Amino acid sequence: DGSERWFAVRCRYLDIEHDLRGLLLLCHDVTAAVRAEEEHRRDAQYLNHLARYNAMGDMAMAIAHEVSQPIAAAHNFVAGVRSRLAGDAEGSALTWGLEAATRQLDRAAQILRSLRAYVVRLEQSKQRVDLNDIVADCACFIEVRAREHGVTLRWDTTDRPLPVHCEKVLIGQVVMNLAFNAVEEMARWPVERRTVVIRTRERAGSAEVEVVDAGKGLSGVRVDRIFEGAFSSKGDGHGIGLALSHRIISRHGGEIEAADNAPRGAVFRFRLPLCRRSP
C-alpha cells in the first residue's frame, strides 16, 4: 500500500546430513517496535524541553526580581532630582531629560511585570482560561520581537470569550512560536510589506488563533510534513519548533494547520475545543 515497513533479517547456514543443506533467511517484521522506539525518543525530547523551559522560567523569575530593584531605585533617584528642580526655569531641559528617563524606566518595569506574570513554574495540570487572555499575555513579547525587525502587528481579537481547558504556558509558547516565525519571515521583505496579523475567533465549536504573514508562503513545501520535525526553531529562537507545537496542540485535543495566504504569504492556525458553557 506504499507504507514503509521495517524488518530484522538473519541468515543461518543449515547442513542436515542426507537431507538439507543451504542458507536460511529469516525476516521478522519489527515495524511496531521501531515506531514505538521513535515515539519514545520524541517523548524524551519533549520532556527534556519541558525541563529546560522550567529551568528557564526559574532563571527569568530570578532575573525579574533582581532587575526590578535597581529600576525602582533609579526611579526614586530621578523623582528626587525632579523635585529639587521644581520651579527652576533654567533646569527645564534637564527636567525634560529626567521625564524621558522616567518613561523608559516605567516601560522597563512594565516589561518585567509582564515577564513575572507570564513565566510561572510549569505544572502538569490544565485550567480553564480564556484563549484571548493567553494571546494578550504573549503580546508584550511578540511586540518586542516585531519592533526589533521593523514589523507592524495587527491584532484582530474577538470580544467574545473563548474558554478552553489547557496548560496556559504551553499554549502561550505555541502562540509565540507561530508569531515569532511570521515576524522573522517578514523581516526579509521590504518595510511596506512587513505586516503580521494575529487574530482570535470562535469557529465551529472551537477557539481559533490565526497568524498571517505576507512572505514567501508555502510554495515548494509539503504542507502535510511541516509539523513532522523538518522545520525546527532557529538558533536564536525561543526553543521550540513547529513539530513540538503540533504535539502540544494534539495533546490538548486540538488541531494545527498551515496554508497559503492569498495573494501571498502563509497562514498558521490552531484550534482548541471550547469548554462547554454552564447550563
Side-chain angles (χ1 to χ4, degrees), residues 134-200:
I134 296 179
V135 173
D137 288 343
C138 298
C140 177
F141 306 103
I142 299 172
E143 288 171 354
V144 169
R145 181 66 63 90
R147 281 195 297 271
E148 290 176 353
H149 295 286
V151 175
T152 300
L153 294 177
R154 284 175 46 201
W155 300 92
D156 181 17
T157 55
T158 179
D159 294 331
R160 188 170 186 176
L162 299 174
V164 295
H165 199 234
C166 69
E167 294 175 65
K168 182 177 178 181
V169 174
L170 291 183
I171 298 302
Q173 283 288 284
V174 175
V175 172
M176 289 195 291
N177 181 51
L178 300 183
F180 287 172
N181 286 348
V183 167
E184 291 170 6
E185 167 63 24
M186 294 314 303
R188 302 160 45 195
W189 297 88
V191 175
E192 61 272 14
R193 281 183 55 181
R194 295 183 188 177
T195 300
V196 171
V197 181
I198 302 174
R199 62 171 58 98
T200 63

